[in-house]
């Protein structure tokens, strides 16, 4: 019951009426609101769920935005699968110092500016070695990473998700590990998408029964 009172206090539930003896009484709108919040919290997290529940007439727009973010995640996941296939197809073996590339050589090979590679370095996406003069030197595995980052950036993959993705791709050396990791992300998106469907049903019932909290 304390959680219910907290949700009422936070504006997630409509204010409860009081009985003559002072006890709170809850009705159908409170049930729909509680179900909507629980589903939203599973789909977008409790902070965003409370923001949506308090949005009043803007609730549908915020719900649409939540679905749009999931759509973006699905698209980025598919791009990540393509990157995983690229990694599996390009095993790095027998690395020699002479195989390294300078920043100018790699920029020319990728068709990007050296400043782009410096930005990726600063963001932790592709961090090269440094020689005695502190010049950037890209080993073959780093060249491969740069190719993958370039491919994903051209396809619209954002910097922040890439920053999280690249270490996972490097650590999952075997194809089955990559597949398992990406399948886990896919399952997470599916679970949150289903939660948003449940939230939409509860919100529809809430809007039908009365005004939002």
């Amino acid at each position: 019951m304390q959680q219910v009172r907290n949700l009422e206090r936070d504006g997630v539930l409509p204010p409860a009426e009081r009985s003559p003896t002072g006890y709170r009484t809850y009705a159908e709108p409170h049930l729909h609101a509680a179900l909507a919040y629980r589903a939203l919290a599973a789909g977008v997290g409790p902070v965003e769920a409370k923001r949506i529940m308090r949005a009043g007439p803007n609730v549908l727009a915020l719900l649409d935005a939540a679905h749009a973010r999931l759509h973006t995640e699905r698209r980025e996941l598919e791009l990540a699968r393509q990157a995983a296939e690229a990694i599996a197809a390009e095993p790095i073996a027998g690395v020699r110092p002479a195989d390294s590339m300078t920043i100018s050589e790699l920029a020319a090979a990728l068709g990007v500016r050296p400043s782009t590679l410096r930005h990726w370095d600063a963001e932790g996406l592709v961090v090269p070695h440094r020689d005695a003069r502190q010049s950037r030197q890209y080993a073959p595995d780093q060249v491969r990473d740069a190719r993958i980052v370039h491919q994903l950036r051209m396809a619209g993959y954002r910097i922040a998700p890439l920053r999280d993705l690249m270490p996972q791709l490097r650590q999952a050396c075997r194809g089955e590990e990559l597949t398992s990791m990406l399948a886990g992300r896919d399952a997470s998106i599916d679970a949150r998408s289903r939660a948003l469907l449940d939230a939409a049903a509860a919100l529809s019932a809430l809007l039908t029964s009365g005004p939002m909290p």
Side-chain angles (χ1 to χ4, degrees):
M1 287 299 296
Q2 184 59 48
Q3 184 180 13
V4 173
R5 288 193 289 269
N6 290 343
L7 292 177
E8 182 184 350
R9 178 202 63 200
D10 295 341
V12 173
L13 302 183
E17 295 183 1
R18 296 278 184 162
S19 69
T21 56
Y23 287 101
R24 290 177 173 86
T25 59
Y26 297 100
E28 189 175 356
H30 297 93
L31 173 62
H32 294 316
L35 292 175
Y37 170 75
R38 185 173 66 179
L40 283 170
V44 299
V47 174
E48 180 66 10
K50 289 180 180 179
R51 189 170 81 94
I52 293 174
M53 292 299 299
R54 293 192 294 253
N58 295 322
V59 63
L60 296 179
L62 292 183
L63 191 61
D64 288 344
H67 280 290
R69 288 193 295 271
L70 280 179
H71 174 72
T72 298
E73 285 192 46
R74 287 190 187 280
R75 180 174 177 273
E76 290 177 343
L77 180 61
E78 180 55 35
L79 294 173
R81 286 195 181 98
Q82 296 174 15
E85 291 173 1
I87 287 179
E90 297 184 5
I92 300 299
V95 176
R96 299 170 301 174
D99 294 326
S100 296
M101 300 178 72
T102 66
I103 188 171
S104 297
E105 291 170 339
L106 181 55
L110 294 177
V112 301
R113 295 180 179 180
S115 60
T116 298
L117 293 175
R118 286 192 288 270
H119 179 58
W120 293 351
D121 184 359
E123 292 289 346
L125 299 179
V126 184
V127 180
H129 302 300
R130 301 280 183 148
D131 62 17
R133 296 176 296 177
Q134 292 301 302
S135 298
R136 291 175 173 85
Q137 294 289 327
Y138 292 85
D141 56 338
Q142 295 158 347
V143 171
R144 179 193 58 187
D145 286 353
R147 291 179 58 195
I148 292 168
V149 169
H150 182 46
Q151 171 191 340
L152 294 177
R153 289 293 291 151
M154 287 194 303
Y157 217 98
R158 296 167 296 151
I159 290 290
L162 262 177
R163 196 184 300 117
D164 294 332
L165 174 66
M166 290 305 294
Q168 297 178 61
L169 292 179
R170 294 188 194 102
Q171 291 171 9
C173 300
R174 299 193 301 272
E176 61 271 19
E177 292 175 336
L178 288 173
T179 300
S180 176
M181 181 192 74
L182 296 176
R185 295 184 64 177
D186 196 13
S188 172
I189 293 173
D190 282 347
R192 285 179 285 145
S193 183
R194 285 192 296 270
L196 288 184
L197 284 178
D198 293 339
L203 285 171
S204 178
L206 177 60
L207 291 171
T208 300
S209 65
M212 290 288 290

